[in-house]
Amino acid sequence: MCHRMIEEGSKRGKAMVEKRQLFMEMRAQNFDVIRLSTYRTACKLRFVQKRCNLHLVDVWNMIEAFRDNGLNTLDHNAEINVSRLETILSSIYYQLNKRLPTTHQINVEQSIGLLLNFMVATYDSESHGKLTVFSMKAMLSTMCGGKIVDKLRYIFSQISDSNGVMMFAKFDQFLREVLKLPTAVFEGPSFGYTEHSVRTCFPQQKKIMLNTFLDVLMADPPPQCLVWLPLMHRLANVENVFHPVECSYCRSESMMGFRYRCQQCHGYQLCQSCFWRGHANGPHSNQHQMKEHSSWKSPAKKLSHAISKSLGCVPIGEPPHPVFPEQAERPPELTHTVVLESPSRLDEEHRLIARYAARLAAEAGNSTQQCPPTDLGFNFDANKQQRQLIAELENKNREILQEIQRLRLEHEQASQPTPEKAQQNPTLLTELRLLRHRKDELERRMSALQESRRELMVQLEGLMRLLKDEEQKQASQSGGSPHSSPSHGAGCSMPMPIRSTSAGSTPTHTPQDCLAGVGGDVLEAFAHGVPRNLRNDLLVAADSITNTMSSLVKELHSVDDVGVEEETNMRNGGDRGTLRVQKH
Ligand SMILES: [Zn+2]
Ligand SMILES: [Zn+2]
């Protein structure tokens, strides 16, 4: 019955989507020749993600969509029917198109059709025509775009109690839902849910707070049942990385994605396709240890990097994201109320900033009592300045948004008459000229904001260190160590490659994800002499700014999971110690 509903739903749009279309397309990709189940699973899910255009929806936009659709007021076990799901997916994709430049619009109907069918196949295998709010949230927040740390923070907010302590039963429920994803792409034998799944993640039933949760799920290696999830993000990040190096097996002149270098055979390198398929030739064997590289550096660049490293300075202008300290900072505990219950995202961001400021004030008060401020590298005056700076930034952001709002209103008034009349309407022309005149002003504001953003980032980095220190101090006082890794991580040997320590892989930013893109949008919106779809462009520009603020706050909280290089070991000879029978 529900399937008929989907078909009818899709028929309404121009793009008809066959029920099994996504699976047929996935099969055509021939992922099954990949011998390593982790890589195979990650590749399949990445394919699903991209095919459904979910990679373009940042997790923060997803959370917003949940809120817009009233999901946060529903119980996790509440059931929603397929037609409501379709409505929610529509709103997600229509909002996405509003954020995308007019030149990069997605096919909404097709995306809805593909994703709806996939979700029904994954979560409603018995065709009740219903799925739970929780399964929908778990699925969409896992499969959307954005940083893994943001996703995990959101998920934690959904499975923790009001004291910020994880509820094991909820985590179990989450695993049950999220592990349906590998199962849906026929990787259930490796990564399907079992009643032991929780224990493989958290062997001891101790109090799990956000930082421990993140430590465990983002550990290297991650828990076995979820190992495909961070890999999916890494895959996405290296997808467009180009290595001007020949593959020793297939002899293609260059490679995209990961590059694997043998640790025994001099100069033996494989492209990801060959390595994943277990190819080996000459004296090389696929039992040799390989190092996984997610970037390529020319020998000259390598040298300069080594020099600057030895001098202790950071290479300038290399990474497209802020350089974090060697020991990546973890965001302080944030309750889910901040993420979920504020009326608008902007308010919520202001509240987050305000919260930091408030905590900073409290910390500063404590630290003067408990230990000399020099210990923390921060003094009270500096904190005060930071708070002032944050307040200024907030005002600046509001100004810009008000400006945009005003422009938008003005233009709406201006676009009342029909286009033909508009051409002869001198008042309108003047107004439009005025609008274009604002371009410079707006751009100046944007660059000021950009500058402030950098400052704010530095300030918040300091704040986080302060808060973390405080947390650690409290933890050591209370005897427990929330940052210690679980015992299962250490001894477990992972058939994963060593990851290269060279920095600077190029993350693939979604258009709304980078500040540089905002300038572009704004430029584009105002550069045209003719009011070509100006209203849309203004909306795009306004949205971009909101998104910039969103990514600003995101970056403030996020451990950068791209730039930080991790290391693991891998042998390609076999799959990890699972029961899975290898296909080839
Ligand atoms: Zn190759
Ligand atoms: Zn070798």
Side-chain angles (χ1 to χ4, degrees), residues 312-527:
C313 55
V314 186
I316 293 160
E318 213 187 61
H321 45 75
V323 179
F324 288 91
E326 199 77 50
Q327 194 89 55
E329 298 290 346
R330 282 280 142 82
E333 312 276 347
L334 291 166
T335 65
H336 61 288
T337 49
V338 179
V339 179
L340 288 177
E341 272 147 33
S342 129
S344 84
R345 191 174 49 199
L346 194 75
D347 283 352
E348 160 185 308
E349 281 153 9
H350 286 141
R351 267 170 57 185
L352 277 175
I353 293 170
R355 234 178 111 96
Y356 274 123
R359 278 195 69 167
L360 170 70
E363 301 294 345
N366 287 344
S367 59
T368 43
Q369 288 163 4
Q370 287 171 3
C371 60
T374 43
D375 276 7
L376 297 167
F378 267 88
N379 59 42
F380 197 71
D381 280 345
N383 293 343
K384 220 166 154 184
Q385 280 173 4
Q386 282 162 10
R387 263 176 292 152
Q388 266 165 8
L389 184 78
I390 288 167
E392 279 167 27
L393 282 169
E394 281 191 78
N395 286 335
K396 215 173 276 180
N397 298 340
R398 281 205 200 94
E399 256 172 48
I400 290 186
L401 273 140
Q402 274 164 7
E403 181 79 358
I404 290 283
Q405 191 62 32
R406 206 169 64 215
L407 282 171
R408 200 191 281 202
L409 278 173
E410 259 179 50
H411 187 262
E412 263 167 23
Q413 286 168 355
S415 46
Q416 298 278 320
T418 58
E420 302 86 62
K421 278 182 197 162
Q423 301 225 311
Q424 290 128 31
N425 186 336
T427 326
L428 181 56
L429 283 176
T430 317
E431 279 181 33
L432 286 172
R433 212 170 295 132
L434 264 170
L435 272 178
R436 284 199 293 275
H437 208 70
R438 292 251 167 78
K439 173 192 153 205
D440 291 339
E441 195 187 336
L442 191 63
E443 275 173 5
R444 266 200 303 278
R445 283 178 188 282
M446 287 299 296
S447 73
L449 185 67
Q450 204 163 346
E451 190 53 48
S452 310
R453 173 176 176 254
R454 268 183 230 120
E455 285 168 32
L456 187 59
M457 223 109 74
V458 176
Q459 303 299 334
L460 270 129
E461 201 57 53
L463 284 180
M464 285 180 196
R465 201 177 314 129
L466 195 78
L467 296 180
K468 193 184 171 190
D469 285 349
E470 191 58 35
E471 261 172 29
Q472 275 174 340
K473 210 161 58 194
Q474 278 167 3
S476 62
Q477 275 164 8
S478 64
S481 167
H483 291 273
S484 66
S485 319
S487 55
H488 80 282
C492 157
S493 79
M494 290 280 295
M496 301 283 273
I498 308 169
R499 265 173 255 154
S500 142
T501 44
S502 62
S505 69
T506 321
T508 48
H509 283 287
T510 51
Q512 73 270 28
D513 207 29
C514 65
L515 196 72
V518 173
D521 281 343
V522 173
L523 267 166
E524 211 191 328
F526 290 93

Side-chain angles (χ1 to χ4, degrees), residues 261-266 268 280-290:
R261 198 185 174 93
C262 182
Q263 299 298 285
Q264 279 165 256
C265 313
H266 180 72
Y268 192 90
N281 57 350
H284 175 74
S285 133
N286 61 18
Q287 294 300 310
H288 290 177
Q289 199 165 73
M290 301 288 272

Side-chain angles (χ1 to χ4, degrees), residues 96-117:
L96 170 63
N97 255 356
K98 276 196 211 164
R99 289 190 298 273
L100 294 174
T102 43
T103 47
H104 288 74
Q105 297 284 296
I106 60 150
N107 182 338
V108 169
E109 291 298 332
Q110 191 189 49
S111 304
I112 297 170
L114 288 171
L115 182 56
L116 194 61
N117 287 338

Side-chain angles (χ1 to χ4, degrees), residues 69-237:
N69 285 281
L71 292 184
N72 55 327
T73 61
L74 293 177
D75 188 80
H76 278 173
N77 296 317
E79 288 183 321
I80 54 171
N81 60 28
V82 174
S83 63
R84 176 145 184 215
L85 176 62
E86 190 176 358
T87 309
I88 294 166
L89 298 186
S90 312
S91 85
I92 291 169
Y93 287 121
Y94 280 111
Q95 289 300 322
L96 170 63
N97 255 356
K98 276 196 211 164
R99 289 190 298 273
L100 294 174
T102 43
T103 47
H104 288 74
Q105 297 284 296
I106 60 150
N107 182 338
V108 169
E109 291 298 332
Q110 191 189 49
S111 304
I112 297 170
L114 288 171
L115 182 56
L116 194 61
N117 287 338
F118 180 73
M119 289 181 77
V120 167
T122 307
Y123 291 101
D124 182 35
S125 47
E126 283 152 45
S127 303
H128 296 305
K130 285 179 176 143
L131 44 100
T132 66
V133 167
F134 189 63
S135 60
M136 204 190 72
K137 282 180 166 183
M139 189 277 175
L140 290 175
S141 61
T142 305
M143 290 293 283
C144 66
K147 286 184 173 176
I148 189 167
V149 66
D150 293 331
K151 296 182 179 185
L152 292 174
R153 280 178 60 218
Y154 172 68
I155 287 158
F156 188 81
S157 76
Q158 299 295 297
I159 61 170
S160 54
D161 63 19
S162 54
N163 297 318
V165 179
M166 189 184 86
M167 294 177 278
F168 274 86
K170 275 287 203 180
F171 180 62
D172 184 65
Q173 202 187 341
F174 166 70
L175 286 181
R176 207 181 278 266
E177 299 300 344
V178 81
L179 295 178
K180 282 177 187 165
L181 290 167
T183 307
V185 295
F186 315 107
E187 299 295 339
S190 302
F191 300 111
Y193 172 83
T194 74
E195 55 189 2
H196 308 297
S197 298
V198 171
R199 234 177 307 139
T200 63
C201 300
F202 298 101
Q204 293 126 26
Q205 291 245 339
K206 55 177 185 177
K207 221 167 124 182
I208 307 294
M209 309 288 282
L210 175 64
N211 283 316
T212 320
F213 181 75
L214 295 176
D215 282 345
V216 169
L217 295 197
M218 293 176 67
D220 194 9
Q224 163 59 25
C225 62
L226 287 172
V227 68
W228 50 272
L229 179 61
L231 181 62
M232 189 173 85
H233 287 81
R234 280 175 41 225
L235 273 183
N237 288 329

